[in-house]
Amino acid sequence: MDIAAIFSLIQKGITVVTNLLEAGKSAAPALQALENLIKGAQNGKVTDQQLADTEALLDGMITEFNSGDP
Amino acid sequence: MKKLILVIALAAGLSGCANLSLLFQNYNNPIDKQTLYNVENTMIVAFAALSAYKKSCDQGVIAQVCKNNIVRIRVYTQRLPTLMNQLRAFVKQNDQVNARIVYTSITQLVSQLQADAAAAALAGGK
């Protein structure tokens, strides 16, 4: 696992979270994802439940974005 | 100012997502559950930015060219559910050959999305 790549992603994620907060938008999902990335980089082990929860969250976000008239 | 910040957040989220390929630079590294977990969480960050952009567009807060931008981005995001489900299945089956193929497809798709969406958003979202 490329730790440097993980940290690069975390860094970009922090930028996103900061900008979302400054724009007055919800950053909770992004914050949780960042926390997951950081913990994953530290521990290197993900449980099936953690993976399932993350998959469900991502699926919901993709569906929400792809829904409705733009 | 908030409009510009939203556009920046979108660009940052998408560029982070496009760096998914960096997670797998070493060809010999397996695409395991941890890798999948990192992919999913990275995409959550990107979609947090996309969601904020779409909501702002729906509310009329940003320039209405955003509607065209969302249509363009959806060309890519509508392909993601199928690819993600395939990746998840192959990873859980430890089918590394097919997992690698799908993973490459996802990273290429996200790179295309990032290039197209970031340029469109930055050009028309201010």
Side-chain angles (χ1 to χ4, degrees):
Chain A
M1 183 62 61
D2 190 333
I3 296 298
I6 298 292
F7 286 155
S8 177
L9 291 170
I10 291 171
Q11 183 180 22
K12 286 185 165 58
I14 290 172
T15 299
V16 172
V17 168
T18 302
N19 290 336
L20 287 174
L21 291 172
E22 287 181 350
K25 299 298 180 183
S26 172
L31 280 168
Q32 181 62 58
L34 276 181
E35 182 180 346
N36 293 341
L37 282 171
I38 291 169
K39 286 183 177 178
Q42 290 176 323
N43 301 329
K45 296 180 181 178
V46 58
T47 66
D48 288 343
Q49 188 60 54
Q50 287 172 323
L51 188 55
D53 290 344
T54 299
E55 289 174 355
L57 177 59
L58 177 59
D59 286 347
M61 295 177 80
I62 294 174
T63 298
E64 191 277 335
F65 182 81
N66 287 338
S67 301
D69 295 327
Chain B
M1 185 61 180
K2 283 189 177 181
K3 300 177 184 180
L4 180 59
I5 290 171
L6 275 171
V7 171
I8 293 172
L10 175 63
L14 292 173
S15 72
C17 214
N19 284 345
L20 283 173
S21 59
L22 294 178
L23 285 174
F24 196 64
Q25 284 183 321
N26 186 334
Y27 187 78
N28 293 319
N29 284 348
I31 304 176
D32 54 13
K33 288 183 180 180
Q34 189 64 49
T35 302
L36 177 60
Y37 189 60
N38 291 335
V39 168
E40 306 260 7
N41 280 300
T42 301
M43 296 185 75
I44 285 172
V45 174
F47 270 89
L50 285 170
S51 175
Y53 185 78
K54 179 173 177 280
K55 287 178 182 175
S56 296
C57 188
D58 291 342
Q59 293 166 354
V61 174
I62 54 179
Q64 289 301 285
V65 67
C66 61
K67 295 183 178 181
N68 293 336
N69 292 341
I70 288 171
V71 170
R72 291 175 66 171
I73 293 170
R74 280 181 174 174
V75 168
Y76 305 99
T77 59
Q78 285 171 344
R79 293 167 55 188
L80 277 174
T82 299
L83 288 171
M84 288 305 300
N85 286 334
Q86 288 175 345
L87 180 63
R88 291 163 181 167
F90 291 140
V91 167
K92 289 165 187 175
Q93 295 164 11
N94 198 28
D95 181 344
Q96 288 297 307
V97 173
N98 285 310
R100 192 184 314 277
I101 292 171
V102 177
Y103 183 85
T104 300
S105 296
I106 292 173
T107 54
Q108 289 173 344
L109 178 71
V110 171
S111 291
Q112 292 168 350
L113 184 163
Q114 188 263 339
D116 193 354
L122 287 173
K126 296 180 182 176

